[in-house]
Amino acid sequence: MTDRAATAAHLPDTYSWLEGIHDEAALDWVRRQTERTDAELCDAEFDGTVHRIKTVLDSQDRIPMVTKRGNHYYNFWRDAEHRLGLWRRTTWDSYLSESPRWETLLDLDAYAEQEGRQWHFAGSQLLRPAQGEPHRRALIRLSPDGGDQVRVREFDLETLSFPEDGFDLPVAKTNVSWIDADTLLVGSATTEANTTRSTYASTLRRLARGADLEAAEVVYEVDLGHVAAFGYFDSTPGFERIITTDAIDFYNSRTGVLHGAEHRTIDVPTDVEVSLHREWLLLAPQTDWTHQDQVIPAGSLALAKLDAFLEDGALERLLFTPDPATSLQSLSFTANFLLLTVLKDVAAEVRVIDLIKNFDQSTLPLEDPMLSVSVAAVDDEDAEHPDDYWMTVTGFTTPTTLLRGTVTGGQGVVKTSPERFDASGFEVTQHFTRSADGTRVPYFQVSAREMPLDGKNPVLMDGYGGFQHSMTPGYAPAMGAGWLSRSTAAGRRPVYVMANIRGGGEYGPDWHRAALRENRHRAYEDFAAIAEDLVARGVTQRAHLAATGRSNGGLLMGNMITGYPQLFGAISCGVPLLDMQRYTQLAAGHSWIAEYGDPEVAEDWKFLRTFSPVHLLSDQPHPNDDYPASLIWTTTSDDRVGPSQARVMAAKMMDLGIENVRYHEPSGGGHAGSTDNESTAKMLATSYEFLWRQVR
């Protein structure tokens, strides 16, 4: 047994004292480690990075993205003068101007001063008014710390105040929608009895104004072992109904429609994703589905009339069928058309399906397939512009442009974001490499056009590889300001690489399923293969190669630290899962069993242990000086993953004598890692500065 393995064998297997999120001993360790990291990083160079990033985030001329409700366009805005932000609205004519006139609805900074407590805006939902009437009421979601738990308060859009007799739901993981002016549909994890093992609501209740939530009528309930009971009231005129979802696990669910006392479950396999819009039912299977002698391939999209499907299972049309290079990413309905956003080798395409003329298909014009494109209906109930859509176009070095178009007409630019960093001389290229099992894996590279291929360029790799989330090009001014704007002492410009590894959704459900559970190692092999390809192509070498990832991407980084330490000079591992034996017992971890496996099942634990970084430190030890410089960070208020996994990993690495590991944990920010522009700038600067100083 090596000295390293012997040391690991004598360490305790758990650090349970660090799991007490607010226990004084744990917080004392957190403070000491965070202060140590800050003392090493916080200098004039760090302050400059914070300033550059915060300037970008606070910029007054960035695009204020809006949501149309009635005659108004709503926006939430933060800047240097409004740290907690403004919820506001304007008219279309005003929005088109260079300096829109905004009506402030809720000033969160003033509200915090009034309340004596800082509340962070987490979204709003407006009550549908009677036809021809203005919107008068809204529900405001307010987070106390940037986490997933929220307080929900009713807001009066006429008096711009919270009415004394208004709905006010306590802080919890809550989903809520209006049924009518005096009734809400609420799913809220307020007590142990109505909270699933995944920490979400197990019931949907019909809550009348002035009534007690716990005594409210239960209209839907799921097993406490399932993820959650989700639901919403569809207020579309002529289609009023409650839509229920029993989220069995992350990829299996049952959807139903509740009319009065009658509840009808949509009879499809549990891995078929279900969505409803007016009379339409959309069905997207995650595995091949044989329905009435017809095979509906995984990743395809089928359309049915809801009433007909409930009656006899009849499908109207198969609207989209993937091929090995193509996948469906999103959809949106206008009044008469369905817009599908598709990726082909991670390049965007928008398909238009005519719901009136025999489902005829066409495509929207796009300027450059290397740019990311997203489309969404503006307002399918707008009598004058029922088929208008928003289109956002963005790329790594191309600032975001917002367009508005009409499916049957043209499109025009509404607003364009200015350049936030000097991208002159950079080029965006796409590359492919082969993973360990021969699979072809793509990645994007942002680098100087005249970059020397001598292995000396500082590179930042970014990856995720889970939950069918696709990594696509996008203008990231904070990354530009924090990473691409730098240069080494020799004048070299840094490189950014986005990895499209398995576990994501870039090539549809099969690409995702290829790295589920016992096959998780494929995502890590893909990421390692890209790192090796960058070295083989002469772009970089280990001493100059950094990597970053958060959440599931943090688990990816943990596996790079423990499984592929020889490839990287530095790693930033954020809000991560790292202990795959304990993850289901912490925060919302139980909801991810379908993605990773269940450590309480012996056969599952066998493969889970092979990608559990906390255990790999002992199971597959490397010499201490082989590990890359590692920054492990989280927030105390992260109530999705929880901070304890990051704490345990860092503490164990330190106890094993691995010297170049640092830990950072601010209190607020939740799983996002930040609550305002200043904390976002500091969070990003901490990561960028740590990595840059190791690999420049």
Side-chain angles (χ1 to χ4, degrees), residues 78-85 109 118 120 675-678:
R78 290 194 188 106
D79 59 28
E81 295 181 8
H82 306 94
R83 187 178 67 83
L84 296 177
D109 295 275
Q118 294 191 1
H120 304 275
T675 55
D676 53 33
N677 290 349
E678 183 174 357

Side-chain angles (χ1 to χ4, degrees), residues 122-348:
S124 63
Q125 185 182 101
L126 275 60
L127 170 67
R128 178 188 290 273
Q131 187 172 1
E133 295 293 318
H135 289 84
R136 292 191 171 93
R137 292 294 172 106
L139 297 173
I140 308 295
R141 297 168 59 87
L142 300 164
S143 168
D145 54 16
D148 290 346
Q149 296 191 79
V150 294
R151 177 186 183 187
V152 180
R153 292 197 70 180
E154 183 178 354
F155 188 78
D156 190 316
L157 291 168
E158 295 182 309
T159 64
L160 303 184
S161 63
F162 295 98
E164 290 186 7
D165 65 342
F167 290 104
D168 189 353
L169 305 180
V171 173
K173 291 185 178 180
T174 299
N175 67 91
V176 60
S177 63
W178 292 98
I179 294 178
D180 58 42
D182 294 308
T183 317
L184 303 181
L185 180 69
V186 181
S188 188
T190 52
T191 68
E192 185 176 348
N194 60 24
T195 300
T196 67
R197 280 196 63 184
S198 297
T199 71
Y200 298 101
S202 64
T203 61
L204 297 178
R205 297 172 183 267
R206 193 188 307 267
L207 178 65
R209 184 178 299 279
D212 179 67
L213 177 60
E214 301 309 320
E217 173 196 4
V218 175
V219 298
Y220 188 67
E221 188 169 7
V222 303
D223 189 282
L224 293 178
H226 293 184
V227 172
F230 293 122
Y232 66 94
F233 181 76
D234 184 348
S235 62
T236 307
F239 300 95
E240 293 87 351
R241 59 208 172 181
I242 291 175
I243 310 299
T244 65
T245 298
D246 177 2
I248 301 167
D249 61 34
F250 216 82
Y251 304 110
N252 290 274
S253 61
R254 290 280 189 197
T255 299
V257 180
L258 180 62
H259 282 291
E262 182 184 17
H263 185 268
R264 299 285 301 277
T265 298
I266 297 169
D267 187 16
V268 294
T270 58
D271 70 344
V272 175
E273 294 182 357
V274 175
S275 57
L276 296 98
H277 179 81
R278 297 181 178 269
E279 72 269 32
W280 300 111
L281 171 66
L282 292 168
L283 303 168
Q286 301 303 292
T287 56
D288 290 353
W289 168 37
T290 299
H291 177 70
Q292 297 182 347
D293 299 324
Q294 179 182 7
V295 176
I296 316 297
S300 60
L301 182 68
L303 181 77
K305 291 285 186 70
L306 175 61
D307 289 345
F309 190 86
L310 289 173
E311 182 67 27
D312 58 16
L315 294 178
E316 193 86 13
R317 187 68 60 100
L318 191 59
L319 297 178
F320 173 82
T321 303
D323 60 41
T326 307
S327 66
L328 177 64
Q329 295 295 301
S330 65
L331 59 87
S332 182
F333 281 94
T334 68
N336 301 297
F337 298 89
L338 176 62
L339 308 178
L340 304 181
T341 303
V342 172
L343 291 183
K344 189 175 184 67
D345 276 333
V346 204

Side-chain angles (χ1 to χ4, degrees), residues 17 20-31:
W17 62 278
I21 295 175
H22 298 289
D23 285 358
E24 188 52 41
L27 288 178
D28 180 63
W29 181 89
V30 165
R31 281 190 291 268

